[in-house]
Amino acid sequence: MASRKATTVTRSRGWGAAAGALIVGGLLATSTVQTWLGQEQFATSFVAPATYHAVLRFFGVAATERQGDFSLYPVPWTTAAMLVFGALCLVGGAGCAMLAARSHPETRKPLISRWLTWLGIGAAVIGLWDWIWLPAALLGGDAGAAFMAACVPFWTAACIAGVWTAFSVLHAPRQVTGVTNAQVPTLHSQASNLNPWLPSTTRQVTALVAIYAAVFVTMNWRLWFNLLLPHGDSAMYEEHLWNLLHGKGFRSYLDQGLFLGEHIQFVHLALLPAYVVWPSHLLLEFCESVALACGAFPVAWMTCRHTGSRSAAVSAAAAYLLYTPLQFLDIEIDLKTFRPEAFGIPLLLLTLDQWDRGRWKGFLLGLLACLTVKEDYAIIISPLGVWIAFTSWRGVASLGLVRSRCWTTTGVCLCLLGVFYLWLATRVLMPAFRPGQEIHYASYFSRLGESPEAIVRTVVTRPGFVAGEFLTLSTSLYALALLAPVGFIAVLSPGRLAVGLPLFGILCLNELARDPRHHFHAPLVAIVFWATAAGLGRWPQVWRWCCQRWKRGDVADDGLLIGQHWLWSCSLATGLFFSLGPCGLPFWDPGSNWHWAKLYGPSPRGEAFAKIEPLIPTSARVASTDFVHPRFTHHERSYDYSDFRRRVSGYERRVPDDTDFIVIDTTHPYSRCKLPTDVPEYHDAERWELLPDETNGAFIVLKRRQQHSSAPRNSAPAGPGVNTAG
């Protein structure tokens, strides 16, 4: 009788705690949501400005005043409360239904009450933002206010991930792997020999890889068909393969000169055997997306060895594929869809996996393969050598004296190799293909110097100035964008994470690279997940220590289960606000520039181009604007029609003398020519003829008149020039 009363009291307390958490959390979240809805700078972190204003019109809210560059809107408290408590009811009800259907009748009510309690706590944490933002703005000034404004999506994503993690842990069976969490420290100490891998795990990871590849291949192909794929820094790599196969050299006709004057980068030449069979840019897009997706396999293998958990391996693979900095290497923010740097991620992950397995031959071969991706990977090899030397030196007792000395020596050699190769690539090889000109990306560090030597001199002699350039708001947000999607689990392996620190520092000093929505950070993706795999193996020990400090022994053994769900939940939640794919709000936001219908839906651009394509023979030399440029790379020559002053045009704003056709795409995103009268060559009627328009103004086509077609045609490139590759 007494036990029944105790159980009843416990259950009533559980329901009381759930109700209290939901009410308090809902009220706190309402205050924050009211602030976010009332200020444009916060609301546009979630939706496009056009969508935000449409929502305000729906609620009948009009602007009252301006604060700097943003407008303030008096959103009623009742409106915010309706949204918050409506969301809590919807999410809470769905979670209760799923738990009720899955759980045993005896444990159903405790599980549901715990779920509602955690949902209320998540709402309360969202509400705490409003209490932190005002002090940060008062104490930190404009910098503090700007940082808190930029952190809005990260803060929200962390709260959503926490709620998802709580639900996943409550919804999952208590024993999800073949080993218990208590065994993890023992398994972790034997990581080099452990590989609890099953065919079912392979099938699960393969399914995730296939889904990612299918989605992103489709998106990339649709961009190509809709003429939204830029040639510069994207389709130009396909032109490399075409020109090389047809005896024109390893070049793009963005300008004269071999591409090796831009980067020591030739990994995409490995696609030549397949390209001979299918000479299309679509092949490159397919291979890149599949290669990026296949990086999930070494991530899963390393995680499985470090944690002893197959479900943790699948969770890490899912987090990798949902990782937004990875997805931006497939489709950048400016819709550049192909970069050879992307092949370096699976290569580097496989190389690091070989190290974890203790296979030194595969490890060294993998490092050599990484050097074909880009000279930037040498910046990873040097600190990796330092890490190998240091860990081997510390592990004399466990590894054996001979092996330890061997790997210590190997690490030192790798460190020196990375430095030497970077010097060789930037100061010898690249200048040899572009004599008399400085490497193009020295201009990315213009505040530090005009040459690599001047940049290094500034770093050494002016550390205070460099620290001021490094310790900025954008640097903090850059680090947050790299680590928040993995729930900061990578920080639990600081030695491995530090391997990427030199490259991260260089990117923070780079005036163009302080944003993981481009391609510069590619090697860091592999380092982050290498550290995450090891960090997840240490998570149970950290969790158990925290539980002992907090006197929560009832959940001390759930560390690995919580960690793996926290990992994929963080990756998914951050993707809600940043991903351009189907898991991101921009994909579905009708006011967004990345809405699916605008980019991937049916487009009249492709139909219009089909009408002008037969007018231009493949033997012609064509100058065209950027987004239609990829369709002419298989012609005799394909020149860039833009404001860039290129060597092939004598560094003047004109088309090359041997140009036969000019094709202007009037509807591309950056078009400055809308009518034939906007094209300078149109006014030279003696030389150029305007072809009849069958595309309703979508394309302007000029053809050189017959009497002027005898202009000199360069049979060979005039010499090295300057491309626009990044």
Side-chain angles (χ1 to χ4, degrees):
M1 193 71 175
S3 62
R4 287 186 179 180
K5 289 183 179 180
T7 303
T8 303
V9 171
T10 301
R11 289 179 178 176
S12 63
R13 287 179 179 175
W15 289 111
L22 287 173
I23 294 173
V24 174
L27 293 175
L28 287 172
T30 298
S31 175
T32 294
V33 170
Q34 185 183 22
T35 301
W36 289 350
L37 287 176
Q39 300 192 36
E40 187 176 1
Q41 60 175 326
F42 301 141
T44 51
S45 298
F46 302 103
V47 296
T51 304
Y52 169 57
H53 294 139
V55 171
L56 291 177
R57 287 194 298 269
F58 175 80
F59 287 111
V61 179
T64 57
E65 59 178 301
R66 291 188 65 83
Q67 186 180 59
D69 297 331
F70 302 99
S71 298
L72 301 180
Y73 298 85
V75 176
W77 186 89
T78 53
T79 300
M82 180 181 64
L83 293 174
V84 169
F85 283 96
L88 289 176
C89 290
L90 182 63
V91 175
C96 290
M98 295 178 67
L99 288 174
R102 181 74 178 269
S103 60
H104 191 274
E106 294 183 359
T107 61
R108 184 172 301 158
K109 291 183 179 180
L111 283 178
I112 291 176
S113 65
R114 290 178 65 185
W115 154 241
L116 294 177
T117 301
W118 280 110
L119 180 61
I121 292 173
V125 175
I126 289 180
L128 289 178
W129 183 92
D130 210 20
W131 296 81
I132 298 175
W133 167 67
L134 187 57
L138 293 175
L139 299 177
D142 293 339
F147 179 78
M148 289 301 297
C151 285
V152 165
F154 292 108
W155 187 285
T156 309
C159 295
I160 294 174
V163 171
W164 276 343
T165 300
F167 175 79
S168 300
V169 172
L170 293 172
H171 189 262
R174 304 301 294 172
Q175 194 71 19
V176 295
T177 67
V179 294
T180 64
N181 288 316
Q183 292 175 297
V184 170
T186 303
L187 293 173
H188 180 63
S189 65
Q190 301 171 352
S192 61
N193 299 319
L194 179 67
N195 191 16
W197 195 261
L198 292 177
S200 61
T201 311
T202 302
R203 288 194 295 269
Q204 290 174 328
V205 176
T206 302
L208 294 174
V209 167
I211 292 171
Y212 173 93
V215 169
F216 276 86
V217 167
T218 301
M219 293 167 64
N220 285 326
W221 284 12
R222 288 304 305 166
L223 290 174
W224 189 86
F225 286 122
N226 289 345
L227 297 180
L228 292 174
L229 187 152
H231 176 271
D233 290 9
S234 192
M236 55 175 272
Y237 293 105
E238 188 264 339
E239 191 181 359
H240 292 167
L241 304 186
W242 177 266
N243 287 340
L244 187 62
L245 283 178
H246 290 78
K248 302 177 185 180
F250 184 37
R251 72 177 74 251
S252 163
Y253 283 108
L254 275 180
D255 214 312
Q256 307 288 358
L258 297 181
F259 178 70
L260 295 176
E262 291 291 326
H263 296 292
I264 305 302
Q265 181 180 59
F266 49 91
V267 65
H268 52 302
L269 298 185
L271 301 177
L272 279 173
Y275 187 78
V276 170
V277 179
W278 184 19
S280 171
H281 181 77
L282 299 179
L283 170 69
L284 275 66
E285 300 288 358
F286 175 83
C287 293
E288 181 196 50
S289 295
V290 171
L292 283 171
C294 287
F297 286 106
V299 168
W301 296 334
M302 290 187 288
T303 304
C304 191
R305 285 195 301 275
H306 282 284
T307 64
S309 169
R310 294 181 291 273
S311 61
V314 176
S315 295
Y320 168 83
L321 296 173
L322 292 168
Y323 189 60
T324 48
L326 170 83
Q327 295 180 3
F328 278 116
L329 289 165
D330 213 332
I331 300 180
E332 294 185 28
I333 194 68
D334 49 10
L335 301 183
K336 295 178 180 179
T337 57
F338 183 84
R339 294 278 190 177
E341 291 94 323
F343 293 106
I345 295 177
L347 278 175
L348 185 54
L349 283 169
L350 287 170
T351 301
L352 296 172
D353 176 63
Q354 292 295 297
W355 161 261
D356 280 357
R357 292 174 185 263
R359 299 176 179 175
W360 65 272
K361 291 183 180 179
F363 171 71
L364 296 178
L365 288 175
L367 289 180
L368 292 177
C370 288
L371 292 178
T372 69
V373 177
K374 198 178 180 181
E375 64 276 1
D376 291 4
Y377 279 77
I379 305 175
I380 291 293
I381 291 178
S382 286
L384 179 61
V386 174
W387 180 84
I388 289 174
F390 180 71
T391 54
S392 300
W393 173 74
R394 289 185 59 192
V396 171
S398 59
L399 294 176
L401 182 61
V402 176
R403 181 181 176 187
S404 176
R405 286 178 177 174
C406 176
W407 276 112
T408 301
T409 304
T410 301
V412 173
C413 292
L414 288 178
C415 178
L416 298 177
L417 171 65
V419 174
F420 172 75
Y421 182 80
L422 188 62
W423 172 83
L424 180 68
T426 58
R427 308 317 293 155
V428 178
L429 298 180
M430 291 162 62
F433 291 100
R434 190 174 56 186
Q437 299 184 45
E438 189 54 80
I439 57 175
H440 73 282
Y441 49 78
S443 60
Y444 299 169
F445 305 87
S446 59
R447 293 194 301 272
L448 302 180
E450 298 180 354
S451 66
E453 291 83 1
I455 293 170
V456 172
R457 191 181 308 114
T458 301
V459 171
V460 174
T461 60
R462 302 179 63 189
F465 173 77
V466 175
E469 294 289 318
F470 180 79
L471 301 175
T472 62
L473 174 62
S474 60
T475 299
S476 302
L477 294 176
Y478 198 170
L480 197 60
L482 292 172
L483 297 177
V486 295
F488 296 95
I489 293 177
V491 177
L492 297 181
S493 182
R496 295 184 179 218
L497 190 61
V499 170
L501 192 59
L503 178 58
F504 176 75
I506 291 173
L507 296 181
C508 289
L509 296 174
N510 188 325
E511 298 166 22
L512 301 180
R514 300 179 183 181
D515 191 338
R517 296 180 296 177
H518 294 282
H519 67 284
F520 300 96
H521 64 283
L524 295 180
V525 173
I527 298 301
V528 167
F529 275 90
W530 181 49
T532 298
L536 192 58
R538 297 172 183 172
W539 176 281
Q541 302 174 40
V542 176
W543 180 261
R544 185 174 293 105
W545 180 85
C546 294
C547 289
Q548 291 172 354
R549 297 292 298 269
W550 298 336
K551 299 181 180 179
R552 289 296 307 273
D554 56 324
V555 293
D557 290 334
D558 294 334
L560 184 57
L561 181 62
I562 293 171
Q564 68 189 50
H565 286 300
W566 170 250
L567 174 59
W568 70 262
S569 294
C570 285
S571 198
L572 177 60
T574 52
L576 284 175
F577 308 113
F578 297 105
S579 175
L580 301 186
C583 290
L585 291 177
F587 186 85
W588 305 103
D589 184 354
S592 170
N593 293 330
W594 298 278
H595 185 243
W596 69 268
K598 297 178 182 178
L599 298 182
Y600 315 111
S603 170
R605 288 164 58 82
E607 298 176 3
F609 177 76
K611 297 178 181 179
I612 69 166
E613 188 175 15
L615 303 177
I616 305 171
T618 57
S619 59
R621 302 190 175 194
V622 186
S624 58
T625 51
D626 194 16
F627 288 84
V628 74
H629 195 163
R631 301 302 182 94
F632 298 111
T633 53
H634 293 186
H635 286 61
E636 177 66 21
R637 293 280 177 90
S638 182
Y639 297 129
D640 173 46
Y641 190 92
S642 69
D643 291 333
F644 286 99
R645 301 176 185 270
R646 303 192 182 280
R647 183 183 178 91
V648 70
S649 302
Y651 295 114
E652 299 177 0
R653 291 179 59 180
R654 61 178 178 84
V655 296
D657 295 332
D658 58 356
T659 303
D660 299 317
F661 287 86
I662 298 175
V663 181
I664 308 296
D665 178 4
T666 64
T667 60
H668 78 77
Y670 312 110
S671 176
R672 60 178 178 81
C673 297
K674 302 297 182 182
L675 299 171
T677 53
D678 298 331
V679 183
E681 288 77 11
Y682 170 78
H683 301 284
D684 188 359
E686 181 182 350
R687 291 178 175 271
W688 295 98
E689 170 191 1
L690 177 66
L691 298 187
D693 180 19
E694 300 180 1
T695 64
N696 295 322
F699 293 95
I700 300 171
V701 182
L702 296 175
K703 179 181 179 181
R704 186 182 292 274
R705 294 188 182 277
Q706 187 71 25
Q707 62 268 31
H708 294 282
S709 61
S710 58
R713 299 169 67 91
N714 299 323
S715 59
V722 181
N723 288 336
T724 60

